[in-house]
Amino acid sequence: MATKTDPKTTAKADQKMAAKTDQKTAAKTDQKMKNIRIFDTTLRDGEQSPGMSMNLKEKIEMAKQLERMGVDIIEAGFAISSPGDFLSVKTISETLKDCTVASLARANKADIDRAWDAVKDAVDPRIHIFIATSELHMQAKLQMTPEQVLEQTIAMTRLAKKYCANLEFSAEDATRSDRKFLAKVIRAAIKEGATTVNLPDTVGYTTPEEYYDFLMDIRSRAPELDNVVISTHCHNDLGLAVANSLAAVRAGVTQIETTVNGIGERAGNASMEEFVMTLYVRKELYKAKTNIVTTEIMRSSNLLSRITGVKVQPNKAIVGANAFAHEAGIHQHGVLKNPLTYEIMTPASVGLTENNLVLGKHSGRHAFSDRVKTLGYALNDEELNIAFGKFKNLADKKKSVYDRDIEAIVAKEAVQVPKTFTLGGFVINSGSTITATAVVKLNRDGKSIEKVARGEGPIDAAFNAISKIVGKELHLEDYTINSVTEGVDALGDARVVISEKGGAPYSGRGLSTDIIEASINAYINAVNKIYYAEDTKGIQ
Ligand code: KIV
Ligand code: ZN
């Protein structure tokens, strides 16, 4: 006799079965997925490019965010290149707990010793040595014969291996190297203990098809590569860095070197967010995945822009301001009906949240602290107090305080250098028929110093007055002002880059609803960075 079943129960059971089958299929697909390690070189290749230099506090903050995002290996710097680089690699090595920390080293003893000194306290230290293998680089740069390069590779990988089990060897300019010679060098490096072999496209010269063929060819010439991690490091001179990195995944590479926002030498490196999201969106095509927590992508991109003051172009894939904006009416209509019409990934999947109104002038310290934590920032008590004070000031002036305003305040506080100078006050007199004059008062060590200066406009006059107080001849290299959110009461975010004659550039940021005050704060912030660098003996 047939039993009667409740259609609702049957439907529920069907759904459960389907969900289970989906989970099983997902788990099976996941098992079949290759895991691609992300080696982040934002703090090394990225930081060494023009306008991207960061001080110690900024590097530590960025490194913590990279760790939170799930990066597998962080190249924290090039330890021998300066005392500042050494200290930042060392501090990052001591601070991070969840990822491998690497330092770059040329294939010589001094570099390797310094790199090891800097990374040895990391939970998983790595030394990354490199030597050029192309005819052009060997002759013009190294002035070494191929035999000498081979000998140096053997001696230096052997030395580095004595210090560090986790050893990466890079053949610089690999894609323009003689393949027979390159294979010889690689085999020697592996024999001496290299655990990762990186085959960079140093000058961004190759193309996806060619790179795929190159990697397959090198794998057949050096079969030992099957026993180590093969890595790529692609530059973007022809705009192909991400495409080449994806071709490398198809050729069996399991470590990809990237940077946040694609920063790096010349046209930059493969962009982390573009590479990661391509694997995420097209996993069935590449059968590969990364450990990156994609919802942290936006925050990493914003933090880097805030620290360096360099914004990404609006149409930049994944993290550009327009990446998820739909202007055309026909597109908007489609997206409202079904987001899949014009969106291949959700804004939320990269951590782009609604610009929610979160707090107002009646919100207390507790609510503020909670929101700061939710946004992913860990401030100590003092930093939280300062940030809360700034939030209160802002909430007094601005009707609506958004997440982006809070992030702007907090991210700035987290990378704050000691405040040698603080703003005591200012009065500006300017107009179309008079020369702008500024009176600025700064505080230093409990004393107040006031100076008057003229300028081409109110901001120039204010900057001149600060230079007089500081007693340094400061040159303004760059100045920009943007609004953090929209509206007449938006927070102005000013950035200046200043330098002393012949000295390094220092950038400063300032926030205020008054753009002159934001600019003055940015200038003072840059001056304080100069003092911080001097106090820490050239550490920048
Ligand atoms: O571009 C390059 O080849 C490099 C190496 C040092 C890995 O940055
Ligand atoms: Zn590079």
Side-chain angles (χ1 to χ4, degrees):
M1 203 175 75
T3 33
K4 233 183 166 184
T5 42
D6 174 359
K8 270 192 193 159
T9 324
T10 318
K12 268 196 182 160
D14 277 359
Q15 273 170 13
K16 262 193 179 171
M17 283 274 281
K20 267 196 175 162
T21 322
D22 278 356
Q23 276 169 13
K24 271 190 191 160
T25 324
K28 267 194 186 160
T29 328
D30 249 30
Q31 274 166 18
K32 276 194 255 152
M33 290 271 172
K34 231 184 338 173
N35 193 50
I36 305 294
R37 296 168 181 80
I38 294 294
F39 174 114
D40 184 277
T41 184
T42 306
L43 296 173
R44 200 275 299 166
D45 212 320
E47 203 261 349
Q48 76 194 38
S49 58
M52 296 295 173
S53 66
M54 302 175 218
N55 65 37
L56 179 63
K57 278 196 128 195
E58 292 166 339
K59 284 186 191 167
I60 294 169
E61 203 49 38
M62 195 65 217
K64 285 199 218 153
Q65 174 57 25
L66 292 172
E67 181 176 53
R68 190 182 302 139
M69 189 171 61
V71 159
D72 301 277
I73 305 112
I74 293 182
E75 186 162 55
F78 186 5
I80 201 159
S81 67
S82 71
D85 248 50
F86 175 81
L87 186 67
S88 51
V89 179
K90 191 166 168 51
T91 316
I92 290 168
S93 299
E94 290 162 358
T95 308
L96 302 187
K97 295 288 165 268
D98 284 334
C99 56
T100 303
V101 180
S103 171
L104 186 66
R106 284 163 297 192
N108 68 56
K109 182 165 174 355
D111 275 41
I112 293 169
D113 284 352
R114 197 78 173 138
W116 176 240
D117 249 11
V119 295
K120 63 177 189 274
D121 292 323
V123 276
D124 181 24
R126 174 182 291 192
I127 297 178
H128 174 196
I129 55 177
F130 76 101
I131 192 162
T133 50
S134 68
E135 199 57 47
L136 184 61
H137 276 229
M138 288 189 291
Q139 260 180 27
K141 191 180 77 175
L142 298 177
Q143 282 149 6
M144 286 168 87
T145 62
E147 292 69 34
Q148 287 171 323
V149 166
L150 181 62
E151 270 168 32
Q152 192 75 358
T153 300
I154 295 171
M156 292 304 123
T157 40
R158 187 176 295 166
L159 172 72
K161 190 68 183 185
K162 278 197 194 141
Y163 297 139
C164 192
N166 190 340
L167 180 60
E168 174 164 340
F169 172 78
S170 282
E172 193 189 9
D173 207 16
T175 47
R176 294 193 299 170
S177 301
D178 173 77
R179 294 188 187 180
K180 199 166 155 207
F181 174 65
L182 177 63
K184 214 176 190 181
V185 173
I186 291 169
R187 297 180 74 183
I190 297 174
K191 188 154 173 255
E192 296 303 331
T195 44
T196 298
V197 171
N198 185 32
L199 299 166
D201 183 32
T202 302
V203 289
Y205 178 70
T206 199
T207 64
E209 298 78 13
E210 184 186 70
Y211 199 35
Y212 175 85
D213 292 343
F214 161 83
L215 291 164
M216 296 308 279
D217 185 32
I218 296 297
R219 285 185 63 184
S220 72
R221 287 172 190 262
E224 293 86 344
L225 278 170
D226 287 349
N227 307 323
V228 298
V229 173
I230 314 176
S231 167
T232 62
H233 173 110
C234 295
H235 277 272
N236 205 30
D237 299 64
L238 291 173
L240 293 172
V242 171
N244 289 338
S245 305
L246 290 163
V249 171
R250 290 191 47 242
V253 163
T254 53
Q255 174 181 291
I256 303 291
E257 305 199 352
T258 61
T259 57
V260 172
N261 295 346
I263 66 167
E265 285 283 10
R266 305 178 309 279
N269 288 62
S271 135
M272 177 278 301
E273 53 281 358
E274 292 175 21
F275 175 79
V276 167
M277 289 314 286
T278 305
L279 285 197
Y280 180 92
V281 171
R282 303 306 310 274
K283 41 175 108 51
E284 81 302 337
L285 184 66
Y286 287 97
K287 312 232 172 337
K289 63 179 174 58
T290 68
N291 295 324
I292 296 295
V293 181
T294 61
T295 48
E296 289 292 327
I297 283 178
M298 217 54 225
R299 182 175 302 142
S300 303
S301 168
N302 287 339
L303 179 63
L304 183 65
S305 292
R306 248 184 232 122
I307 286 175
T308 59
V310 181
K311 284 196 163 191
V312 297
Q313 86 231 28
N315 62 329
K316 162 96 171 65
I318 318 295
V319 291
N322 294 345
F324 292 93
H326 303 282
E327 188 70 25
I330 195 163
H331 286 204
Q332 288 171 351
H333 182 71
V335 168
L336 285 176
K337 289 245 151 133
N338 181 349
L340 293 179
T341 48
Y342 287 102
E343 275 178 10
I344 56 168
M345 61 199 135
T346 62
S349 65
V350 298
L352 192 64
T353 48
E354 291 283 303
N355 191 23
N356 290 329
L357 168 66
V358 283
L359 299 170
K361 69 176 180 185
H362 300 298
S363 308
R365 193 176 182 282
H366 191 71
F368 178 74
S369 155
D370 260 9
R371 195 65 210 161
V372 167
K373 275 192 205 128
T374 312
L375 289 171
Y377 293 92
L379 298 188
N380 64 31
D381 276 353
E382 197 196 334
E383 289 165 341
L384 188 68
N385 283 340
I386 297 171
F388 182 60
K390 288 188 175 168
F391 157 72
K392 276 291 189 189
N393 280 340
L394 179 63
D396 265 346
K397 292 182 194 158
K398 195 172 183 290
K399 269 197 305 252
S400 324
V401 178
Y402 298 99
D403 276 353
R404 269 194 277 157
D405 294 316
I406 294 182
E407 283 203 270
I409 293 173
V410 171
K412 190 166 174 296
E413 210 41 59
V415 295
Q416 199 60 262
V417 295
K419 290 177 181 137
T420 310
F421 292 98
T422 55
L423 180 61
F426 67 91
V427 176
I428 310 254
N429 198 5
S430 85
S432 57
T433 52
I434 54 165
T435 307
T437 315
V439 184
V440 179
K441 199 194 287 174
L442 299 188
N443 303 316
R444 183 182 187 183
D445 299 331
K447 276 195 222 134
S448 170
I449 318 164
E450 190 177 289
K451 292 279 178 204
V452 185
R454 290 157 162 249
E456 294 296 322
I459 289 170
D460 187 43
F463 289 176
N464 290 340
I466 298 172
S467 296
K468 274 193 183 176
I469 295 174
V470 171
K472 287 183 189 289
E473 202 183 310
L474 300 170
H475 172 67
L476 181 67
E477 296 194 4
D478 199 10
Y479 167 73
T480 49
I481 183 133
N482 292 294
S483 66
V484 175
T485 52
E486 299 76 26
V488 283
D489 59 355
L491 198 52
D493 183 356
R495 176 192 184 244
V496 301
V497 179
I498 57 173
S499 62
E500 286 188 82
K501 215 170 178 196
Y506 291 84
S507 66
R509 308 294 296 265
L511 292 171
S512 174
T513 46
D514 173 335
I515 57 165
I516 295 184
E517 186 170 277
S519 309
I520 291 176
N521 282 336
Y523 204 85
I524 296 172
N525 181 225
V527 166
N528 286 337
K529 284 189 185 176
I530 295 181
Y531 277 80
Y532 177 60
E534 283 170 2
D535 289 350
T536 45
K537 293 187 193 70
I539 294 162
Q540 153 77 341

